[in-house]
Amino acid sequence: MNDPKPYFEAHVFCCTNRRPDGHRRGSCAAHGSEKLRDYMKARARELGLDGRVRINAAGCLDRCELGPTLVVYPEGVWYTYRSPADIDAILQTHLVEGGRVDRLMLMPEQRELRPEQLG
């Protein structure tokens, strides 16, 4: 039997985990991930991506020090983001055009943000 066609072309999981203030690892929510996730959902609708792309809140994605973070499947590409402009770049470049936003991409071995990722 063949796998069924995916229900969504892409699935975006945005970490919205919140840890207590002062936690050594920090948390995505403390860096505004909830508000930015809401912005991403609204912009995706404006771009006509609803029905094709699903944007969800996620619990801890375990890359707290790099947060806020999100991951796009089926590709498994990870991003950090800090602003609505970063979200716009991810939506347009990755989800509309099929490219990648190199400056925001997180590599598997990455443990700290690069200067261009600090916004």
Side-chain angles (χ1 to χ4, degrees):
M1 177 180 213
N2 293 328
D3 289 342
K5 180 181 174 189
Y7 192 72
F8 296 107
E9 291 175 20
H11 213 131
V12 181
F13 293 95
C14 301
C15 180
T16 57
N17 190 54
R18 182 174 298 280
R19 286 202 172 92
D21 290 342
H23 190 281
R24 65 179 176 78
R25 292 191 72 197
S27 70
C28 290
H31 292 288
S33 66
E34 296 160 315
K35 194 178 263 188
L36 288 165
R37 187 263 340 265
D38 292 345
Y39 174 81
M40 186 177 214
K41 289 178 79 147
R43 285 292 295 142
R45 275 191 297 278
E46 290 171 8
L47 292 169
L49 294 173
D50 52 331
R52 295 184 8 213
V53 174
R54 177 74 178 173
I55 298 168
N56 278 97
C60 184
L61 295 174
D62 201 31
R63 300 195 80 185
C64 313
E65 296 82 1
L66 304 173
T69 61
L70 64 80
V71 60
V72 181
Y73 288 109
E75 301 91 347
V77 174
W78 289 74
Y79 290 104
T80 187
Y81 55 98
R82 301 280 177 183
S83 67
D86 290 344
I87 294 293
D88 288 340
I90 294 166
L91 286 169
Q92 185 62 44
T93 304
H94 190 119
L95 296 166
V96 172
E97 298 170 8
R100 302 295 181 265
V101 185
D102 293 336
R103 70 179 176 83
L104 299 175
M105 281 178 60
L106 297 172
M107 299 298 114
E109 69 283 353
Q110 191 172 346
R111 298 289 178 251
E112 57 187 50
L113 294 175
R114 299 184 306 269
E116 67 271 19
Q117 294 175 319
L118 295 172

